[in-house]
Amino acid sequence: MVDINQKDRTIRVKIVYYGPALGGKTTNLRVLHERALQSRRGEFISVNSMQDRTILCDLLPLRTGGFRGFDLKLQLLAVPGQAMYGATRRVVLKAADGVVFVANSASDRWRETAQSYAEMNANLIMHQLDPHTIPLVFQYNKRDLPQVAEIETLQRELNPRHVPAIPAVATTGKGVLETFSAILSQTVQDLSRRFRFMEMPAGQSVEAWTTQAVAGLFGTERLDSASSEEPEEIELPDGSVVSIERSGHRRVQVTTPKEAPRAPASSTPDLPVDDSLAASYAEASAELGFVVSDLREERDALRQRLEEMRHALELATESPGATDVESRVRRLLQVLVRAAGASSAALRLTTGEAAQTLALPPLVCDPLSRTAWGSDHLEALGDLAEPLVEEARESADLTDALRAGTPSFEAVALVPLRSAERLLGLALLYFDLHAVLPSRDTLVHLGFLARELAGPLEAAAAREVASTAYRLRVLSSTSAAAVASLLARLPPESVPWQRLDLAAVLAPLKSPGVVVERPRETIAVVADPPLLRFALASLVNLCEADALERGQPPEIVIRCVVEDGTVKVSVDGAGRMSVLSSRDAGPSIAGAELGVVQAIVGLHKGTLTQHRDSSQRLQLAVTLRHA
């Protein structure tokens, strides 16, 4: 039955292709293997006779890409159909989670098909599997033959349960992927009923997940044709032949007793083979195939982690001045995202007086920082020493924070980046509904990468403090236009509006050269905290940069007043600010940032205005709703 490993966050599901000899079971697996994406398939292993007939079983490992936070691994096996391998078929069917019965549609093969179906049901009962409830799909193969049984006849004789039945021509790929999709959906539906933690959340369906999983495995929902290729053959000293196709299908061909040359009359006659011994050999061979598949996955994972460590070391040894702070932080996040298999990410920097958050595009804002509870929760994690995974279902507050925005997420991995003295930042790695969550080993790996990446992060922070002309920007010029367009299309009802004390929003903007005039009375606004902070900080950044570019010391004054029922926040800067025109066609960061600010202000139903007084001092003003 299904193998669930909570520690490694893996679910192993066994699906058996059963049916008469020459029905097309191996062909189904071969086509699936040839057309699966290389990153999602393991090595396809067959042990065949010299006539290319399966004598043990075919094993094809596939990975769906995740289900409810687990790595869902599929083991597809095809049994040998020849009469002499009954013990092998019986063993392979043991602990099956789903079955595909591949029927030969040829009219003259009906007897073998019916006998195979009866044998399958008997073997299921022997393994205490109920033929009436086990996930089952029929494939009526070889529909291209001149004389085939009618679909209605096959349905009446084989399918009293009325489970899915797919006509197919496996050699061309027709019906192969549809059969696989049907049994995958049936099996996952069954597991969702049997295990509570595998239940689909409200608004989600197994059918929708299956469609997404199949597209992730094959890049398509159907296969119009099967590829063909000439395998490379290697002859072993005992006469066996190993064939390796370019797609990775490894076939071991061995000489079976009936194929061996007739022995001399004086030789001792062959003794009959014990059925139980054959069954034990078949079981051991199948288990060995599983072990080999696991070892290959472990090898590939270690290679990937080594590559990630190389990227981290390149960042750690790079000169602090080689790239700007934003680019370095973005590369740092990309290393962690790849290592964790995350969907999106943000980095909460704690190197300055106030925490700053950088969201990795296409993420616009950090989901946790958008809510008051999330901000408080992140503050409370200042002593976090090792990576931690939190799932939405753990608390109602976390559920609201992760699922409130677009896109929504089901979990977050919190990875602290620390120097010897303090916390430098917190990487927030977000996972969507069916992404594979990090296992314990992956969390250990993330912790190691974080220790390597803390060095370049600390160097970037030191450079930022040393240069008053530079402040970390959340968005680059290349992504600003896309973000502004996204914000302009964002429905206001999807934004988690909050009632804010404006003084608390403005306080972190105070710095050398920036004066924040505290209002005489409490002024409250209705806003999205992270977006509003970003907009105001961007205006300060632009004023500072312009003043420094013209050789003038930055003299920025921020004021806020209530006028005619609206709140007006003004940012006064010295110098001529013509470079800030949002109509500027150039690719400057100033113009790009101002476009994003305009989009944020528009989302808040406010306005952004520019005014230049007699002394050429430019005033940028933002109006907001008064709460």
Side-chain angles (χ1 to χ4, degrees), residues 126-326:
M126 180 178 298
H127 292 307
Q128 299 181 340
L129 298 172
D130 188 352
H132 300 96
T133 59
I134 191 170
L136 174 66
V137 169
F138 286 94
Q139 183 188 88
Y140 300 142
N141 193 26
K142 302 199 174 185
R143 301 302 299 176
D144 58 336
L145 295 179
Q147 294 184 342
V148 295
E150 295 293 334
I151 295 291
E152 293 76 10
T153 302
L154 294 170
Q155 285 282 81
R156 183 175 59 252
E157 298 296 333
L158 298 176
N159 194 8
R161 286 177 54 185
H162 302 290
V163 298
I166 292 92
V169 182
T171 53
T172 67
K174 181 180 179 181
V176 172
L177 194 53
E178 291 85 346
T179 302
F180 172 77
S181 300
I183 190 59
L184 180 60
S185 179
Q186 293 273 314
T187 304
V188 171
Q189 187 75 56
D190 180 65
L191 295 176
S192 298
R193 288 193 295 263
R194 289 163 49 198
F195 300 97
R196 186 173 180 179
F197 79 95
M198 293 185 69
E199 292 178 355
M200 298 295 291
Q204 299 287 330
S205 68
V206 171
E207 290 76 13
W209 173 85
T210 302
T211 300
Q212 179 181 350
V214 170
L217 270 166
F218 300 94
T220 182
E221 295 183 11
R222 57 184 300 163
L223 307 177
D224 295 327
S225 62
S227 61
S228 60
E229 56 184 24
E230 292 296 327
E232 175 188 358
E233 294 189 349
I234 304 173
E235 185 172 354
L236 302 180
D238 62 356
S240 302
V241 176
V242 177
S243 298
I244 305 176
E245 298 177 358
R246 288 189 295 273
S247 61
H249 181 188
R250 187 183 300 268
R251 292 183 297 174
V252 180
Q253 294 181 298
V254 298
T255 302
T256 58
K258 288 192 175 183
E259 298 166 335
R262 183 179 299 275
S266 58
S267 300
T268 304
D270 292 336
L271 297 176
V273 178
D274 184 6
D275 191 60
S276 63
L277 180 61
S280 299
Y281 178 68
E283 185 170 9
S285 299
E287 289 299 323
L288 180 60
F290 298 152
V291 171
V292 171
S293 176
D294 289 342
L295 288 174
R296 287 197 178 91
E297 281 193 13
E298 185 177 348
R299 177 202 63 190
D300 294 342
L302 290 174
R303 286 177 175 173
Q304 180 177 332
R305 289 180 179 178
L306 178 60
E307 188 64 24
E308 291 155 1
M309 288 166 56
R310 287 173 177 164
H311 286 309
L313 289 172
E314 287 175 3
L315 273 173
T317 56
E318 190 177 77
S319 171
T323 56
D324 58 55
V325 181
E326 180 184 355

